PDB file of all heavy atoms in Angstrom:
ATOM      1  N   PHE A  17     -11.035  -9.048  14.348  1.00 92.00           N
ATOM      2  CA  PHE A  17     -10.258  -9.385  15.543  1.00 92.00           C
ATOM      3  C   PHE A  17     -10.336 -10.904  15.760  1.00 92.00           C
ATOM      4  O   PHE A  17     -11.431 -11.487  15.731  1.00 92.00           O
ATOM      5  CB  PHE A  17     -10.858  -8.670  16.753  1.00 92.00           C
ATOM      6  CG  PHE A  17     -10.754  -7.168  16.697  1.00 92.00           C
ATOM      7  CD1 PHE A  17     -11.878  -6.414  16.291  1.00 92.00           C
ATOM      8  CD2 PHE A  17      -9.598  -6.514  17.004  1.00 92.00           C
ATOM      9  CE1 PHE A  17     -11.808  -5.057  16.230  1.00 92.00           C
ATOM     10  CE2 PHE A  17      -9.512  -5.113  16.933  1.00 92.00           C
ATOM     11  CZ  PHE A  17     -10.633  -4.381  16.534  1.00 92.00           C
ATOM     12  N   SER A  26       1.892 -14.410  23.671  1.00 81.00           N
ATOM     13  CA  SER A  26       2.599 -14.866  22.477  1.00 81.00           C
ATOM     14  C   SER A  26       1.771 -15.933  21.785  1.00 81.00           C
ATOM     15  O   SER A  26       0.901 -16.567  22.390  1.00 81.00           O
ATOM     16  CB  SER A  26       3.989 -15.383  22.840  1.00 81.00           C
ATOM     17  OG  SER A  26       3.900 -16.484  23.707  1.00 81.00           O
ATOM     18  N   GLY A  53     -16.292 -12.920  -7.824  1.00 82.00           N
ATOM     19  CA  GLY A  53     -14.849 -12.701  -7.793  1.00 82.00           C
ATOM     20  C   GLY A  53     -14.408 -11.290  -8.103  1.00 82.00           C
ATOM     21  O   GLY A  53     -13.316 -11.051  -8.553  1.00 82.00           O
ATOM     22  N   CYS A  89     -29.584  -7.808  -3.671  1.00 81.00           N
ATOM     23  CA  CYS A  89     -30.903  -7.555  -4.197  1.00 81.00           C
ATOM     24  C   CYS A  89     -31.647  -8.827  -4.535  1.00 81.00           C
ATOM     25  O   CYS A  89     -32.875  -8.819  -4.692  1.00 81.00           O
ATOM     26  CB  CYS A  89     -30.813  -6.689  -5.474  1.00 81.00           C
ATOM     27  SG  CYS A  89     -30.506  -4.960  -5.203  1.00 81.00           S
ATOM     28  N   PRO A 105     -30.607  -6.239   3.732  1.00 87.00           N
ATOM     29  CA  PRO A 105     -29.988  -5.497   2.632  1.00 87.00           C
ATOM     30  C   PRO A 105     -30.220  -3.997   2.725  1.00 87.00           C
ATOM     31  O   PRO A 105     -29.339  -3.205   2.402  1.00 87.00           O
ATOM     32  CB  PRO A 105     -30.690  -6.096   1.395  1.00 87.00           C
ATOM     33  CG  PRO A 105     -31.005  -7.489   1.794  1.00 87.00           C
ATOM     34  CD  PRO A 105     -31.386  -7.399   3.246  1.00 87.00           C
ATOM     35  N   ILE A 146     -17.450   1.085  -8.200  1.00 65.00           N
ATOM     36  CA  ILE A 146     -17.789   2.230  -7.370  1.00 65.00           C
ATOM     37  C   ILE A 146     -16.647   2.459  -6.407  1.00 65.00           C
ATOM     38  O   ILE A 146     -16.347   1.612  -5.583  1.00 65.00           O
ATOM     39  CB  ILE A 146     -19.093   2.006  -6.630  1.00 65.00           C
ATOM     40  CG1 ILE A 146     -20.206   1.611  -7.606  1.00 65.00           C
ATOM     41  CG2 ILE A 146     -19.513   3.247  -5.850  1.00 65.00           C
ATOM     42  CD1 ILE A 146     -21.466   1.082  -6.940  1.00 65.00           C
ATOM     43  N   MET A 158     -19.427  -5.396   5.611  1.00 94.00           N
ATOM     44  CA  MET A 158     -20.317  -6.532   5.291  1.00 94.00           C
ATOM     45  C   MET A 158     -19.505  -7.833   5.143  1.00 94.00           C
ATOM     46  O   MET A 158     -19.896  -8.852   5.691  1.00 94.00           O
ATOM     47  CB  MET A 158     -21.083  -6.239   4.009  1.00 94.00           C
ATOM     48  CG  MET A 158     -22.023  -7.352   3.577  1.00 94.00           C
ATOM     49  SD  MET A 158     -23.232  -6.837   2.311  1.00 94.00           S
ATOM     50  CE  MET A 158     -22.168  -6.041   1.112  1.00 94.00           C
ATOM     51  N   LEU A 174     -24.877 -22.827  10.541  1.00 91.00           N
ATOM     52  CA  LEU A 174     -24.449 -22.587   9.178  1.00 91.00           C
ATOM     53  C   LEU A 174     -25.166 -23.508   8.194  1.00 91.00           C
ATOM     54  O   LEU A 174     -25.541 -23.090   7.092  1.00 91.00           O
ATOM     55  CB  LEU A 174     -22.924 -22.822   9.101  1.00 91.00           C
ATOM     56  CG  LEU A 174     -22.068 -21.774   9.829  1.00 91.00           C
ATOM     57  CD1 LEU A 174     -20.591 -22.155   9.726  1.00 91.00           C
ATOM     58  CD2 LEU A 174     -22.307 -20.359   9.277  1.00 91.00           C
ATOM     59  N   ASN A 175     -25.367 -24.789   8.579  1.00 87.00           N
ATOM     60  CA  ASN A 175     -26.072 -25.715   7.705  1.00 87.00           C
ATOM     61  C   ASN A 175     -27.485 -25.261   7.409  1.00 87.00           C
ATOM     62  O   ASN A 175     -28.005 -25.493   6.315  1.00 87.00           O
ATOM     63  CB  ASN A 175     -26.069 -27.124   8.328  1.00 87.00           C
ATOM     64  CG  ASN A 175     -24.703 -27.759   8.261  1.00 87.00           C
ATOM     65  OD1 ASN A 175     -23.851 -27.384   7.447  1.00 87.00           O
ATOM     66  ND2 ASN A 175     -24.453 -28.735   9.112  1.00 87.00           N
ATOM     67  N   ASP A 189     -14.277 -25.455   4.451  1.00 92.00           N
ATOM     68  CA  ASP A 189     -12.978 -26.113   4.552  1.00 92.00           C
ATOM     69  C   ASP A 189     -11.963 -25.189   5.212  1.00 92.00           C
ATOM     70  O   ASP A 189     -11.163 -25.615   6.066  1.00 92.00           O
ATOM     71  CB  ASP A 189     -12.462 -26.506   3.144  1.00 92.00           C
ATOM     72  CG  ASP A 189     -13.158 -27.723   2.596  1.00 92.00           C
ATOM     73  OD1 ASP A 189     -13.875 -28.429   3.357  1.00 92.00           O
ATOM     74  OD2 ASP A 189     -13.033 -28.003   1.387  1.00 92.00           O
ATOM     75  N   PHE A 194      -8.869 -23.415  10.080  1.00 94.00           N
ATOM     76  CA  PHE A 194      -8.654 -22.440  11.165  1.00 94.00           C
ATOM     77  C   PHE A 194      -8.659 -23.142  12.521  1.00 94.00           C
ATOM     78  O   PHE A 194      -7.750 -22.943  13.336  1.00 94.00           O
ATOM     79  CB  PHE A 194      -9.747 -21.362  11.111  1.00 94.00           C
ATOM     80  CG  PHE A 194      -9.666 -20.336  12.183  1.00 94.00           C
ATOM     81  CD1 PHE A 194      -9.082 -19.092  11.930  1.00 94.00           C
ATOM     82  CD2 PHE A 194     -10.189 -20.554  13.454  1.00 94.00           C
ATOM     83  CE1 PHE A 194      -9.001 -18.128  12.922  1.00 94.00           C
ATOM     84  CE2 PHE A 194     -10.135 -19.582  14.446  1.00 94.00           C
ATOM     85  CZ  PHE A 194      -9.527 -18.355  14.176  1.00 94.00           C
ATOM     86  N   TRP A 285      10.919 -26.697 -11.707  1.00 90.00           N
ATOM     87  CA  TRP A 285      11.482 -26.756 -10.366  1.00 90.00           C
ATOM     88  C   TRP A 285      12.996 -26.980 -10.407  1.00 90.00           C
ATOM     89  O   TRP A 285      13.715 -26.512  -9.501  1.00 90.00           O
ATOM     90  CB  TRP A 285      10.778 -27.858  -9.550  1.00 90.00           C
ATOM     91  CG  TRP A 285       9.374 -27.458  -9.125  1.00 90.00           C
ATOM     92  CD1 TRP A 285       8.217 -27.971  -9.580  1.00 90.00           C
ATOM     93  CD2 TRP A 285       9.056 -26.431  -8.210  1.00 90.00           C
ATOM     94  NE1 TRP A 285       7.150 -27.320  -8.988  1.00 90.00           N
ATOM     95  CE2 TRP A 285       7.625 -26.365  -8.157  1.00 90.00           C
ATOM     96  CE3 TRP A 285       9.802 -25.549  -7.441  1.00 90.00           C
ATOM     97  CZ2 TRP A 285       6.960 -25.479  -7.322  1.00 90.00           C
ATOM     98  CZ3 TRP A 285       9.113 -24.648  -6.615  1.00 90.00           C
ATOM     99  CH2 TRP A 285       7.721 -24.599  -6.543  1.00 90.00           C
ATOM    100  N   LYS A 289      15.598 -24.563  -8.553  1.00 84.00           N
ATOM    101  CA  LYS A 289      16.672 -25.103  -7.710  1.00 84.00           C
ATOM    102  C   LYS A 289      18.042 -24.583  -8.093  1.00 84.00           C
ATOM    103  O   LYS A 289      18.876 -24.253  -7.262  1.00 84.00           O
ATOM    104  CB  LYS A 289      16.655 -26.651  -7.743  1.00 84.00           C
ATOM    105  CG  LYS A 289      17.619 -27.285  -6.791  1.00 84.00           C
ATOM    106  CD  LYS A 289      17.486 -28.803  -6.842  1.00 84.00           C
ATOM    107  CE  LYS A 289      18.440 -29.477  -5.866  1.00 84.00           C
ATOM    108  NZ  LYS A 289      18.306 -30.952  -5.892  1.00 84.00           N
ATOM    109  N   LEU A 298       6.422  -9.421  -8.017  1.00 64.00           N
ATOM    110  CA  LEU A 298       5.188  -9.949  -8.634  1.00 64.00           C
ATOM    111  C   LEU A 298       5.622 -10.664  -9.912  1.00 64.00           C
ATOM    112  O   LEU A 298       6.416 -10.121 -10.707  1.00 64.00           O
ATOM    113  CB  LEU A 298       4.215  -8.833  -8.927  1.00 64.00           C
ATOM    114  CG  LEU A 298       3.688  -8.088  -7.695  1.00 64.00           C
ATOM    115  CD1 LEU A 298       2.817  -6.903  -8.126  1.00 64.00           C
ATOM    116  CD2 LEU A 298       2.910  -8.992  -6.790  1.00 64.00           C
ATOM    117  N   VAL A 322       5.302 -24.898 -17.275  1.00 93.00           N
ATOM    118  CA  VAL A 322       5.474 -23.434 -17.262  1.00 93.00           C
ATOM    119  C   VAL A 322       6.154 -23.044 -18.575  1.00 93.00           C
ATOM    120  O   VAL A 322       7.288 -23.435 -18.815  1.00 93.00           O
ATOM    121  CB  VAL A 322       6.316 -23.001 -16.058  1.00 93.00           C
ATOM    122  CG1 VAL A 322       6.517 -21.482 -16.094  1.00 93.00           C
ATOM    123  CG2 VAL A 322       5.671 -23.427 -14.736  1.00 93.00           C
TER     124      VAL A 322
END
Side-chain angles (χ1 to χ4, degrees):
F17 297 98
S26 61
C89 282
I146 306 168
M158 178 165 51
L174 293 176
N175 287 338
D189 284 348
F194 178 98
W285 286 111
K289 186 177 181 180
L298 298 174
V322 178

